[in-house]
Amino acid sequence: DAGVTQSPTHLIKTRGQQVTLRCSPKSGHDTVSWYQQALGQGPQFIFQYYEEEERQRGNFPDRFSGHQFPNYSSELNVNALLLGDSALYLCASSLEIGDFYNEQFFGPGTRLTVL
Amino acid sequence: EDQVTQSPEALRLQEGESSSLNCSYTVSGLRGLFWYRQDPGKGPEFLFTLYSAGEEKEKERLKATLTKKESFLHITAPKPEDSATYLCAVQAKQGGSEKLVFGKGTKLTVNP
């Protein structure tokens, strides 16, 4: 049973460029959340997708956008990259079962470096 | 605003030397408190979920406990392979809130 997968593993971009990161959730999961983790910090919530719609968003600018496909996979897009966007980007998947919480399982992350 | 504070920031132990990591939180109605382990350059690995004060969960050398204001991760007779950063996160009950709010983590080093 494949866990959460993310691509690419590493990415180097220059300021002002745009980037797309990809995530495939764990088998059977339908909800995808994205987090940004700066060096030495805990992950920070960017947004969550469920039923192909953004359900909740953290304190990130509109330069950060996303998408969820019918097969539950997801993309994170970042426009007009800044040096401060350099971080490990984590995708987490879970299963929506009403009011009951189901654990979020994380992928290995994509390391983005902005020069 | 939901907040999670972990202490200490870093902890060095000798193999076999038991200790505890602390996670204190403020949240408007706790839906769940989560412990993750993270190795360098990798994604967090799920360890435990705790839902209500008084709850305890164990896994090998790790035991997590929860009170109304904090959680502890007890490590009994640690081994070098337990070296990692341990992250604590909370999820609030407030309507529609799905996000996890993380602390900065405790970096644990276990020397042989």
Side-chain angles (χ1 to χ4, degrees), chain A residues 49-60:
Chain A
Y49 278 84
Y50 172 66
E51 292 188 339
E52 301 179 49
E53 289 193 359
E54 183 182 293
R55 176 157 68 174
Q56 190 179 13
R57 188 178 186 92
N59 295 326
F60 281 80

Side-chain angles (χ1 to χ4, degrees), chain A residues 2-93:
Chain A
V4 180
T5 60
Q6 292 186 243
S7 63
T9 305
H10 296 88
L11 207 49
I12 298 175
K13 293 284 188 178
T14 56
R15 280 178 295 174
Q17 285 189 311
Q18 178 265 342
V19 69
T20 298
L21 310 182
R22 294 177 177 82
C23 170
S24 290
K26 182 179 169 66
S27 178
H29 285 184
D30 58 3
T31 303
V32 173
S33 303
W34 286 92
Y35 292 83
Q36 180 195 66
Q37 187 176 24
L39 205 59
Q41 303 294 314
Q44 288 212 306
F45 178 76
I46 303 175
F47 42 53
Q48 185 180 78
Y49 278 84
Y50 172 66
E51 292 188 339
E52 301 179 49
E53 289 193 359
E54 183 182 293
R55 176 157 68 174
Q56 190 179 13
R57 188 178 186 92
N59 295 326
F60 281 80
D62 292 344
R63 298 187 297 110
F64 290 77
S65 63
H67 188 78
Q68 186 179 35
F69 300 94
N71 67 353
Y72 307 119
S73 67
S74 178
E75 287 182 350
L76 164 65
N77 300 294
V78 187
N79 294 322
L81 285 168
L82 304 173
L83 294 179
D85 294 333
S86 295
L88 182 68
Y89 287 84
L90 295 163
C91 169
S93 74

Side-chain angles (χ1 to χ4, degrees), chain B residues 34-70:
Chain B
F34 309 88
W35 283 98
Y36 288 85
R37 169 193 169 129
Q38 187 173 30
D39 293 304
K42 297 188 177 181
E45 174 190 344
F46 172 77
L47 293 173
F48 303 109
T49 308
L50 301 167
Y51 293 104
S52 56
E55 191 174 358
E56 298 182 352
K57 287 193 178 174
E58 287 188 68
K59 179 180 179 181
E60 295 180 356
R61 294 177 292 282
L62 300 177
K63 178 180 176 181
T65 61
L66 181 65
T67 72
K68 288 186 178 180
K69 293 184 178 180
E70 57 192 351

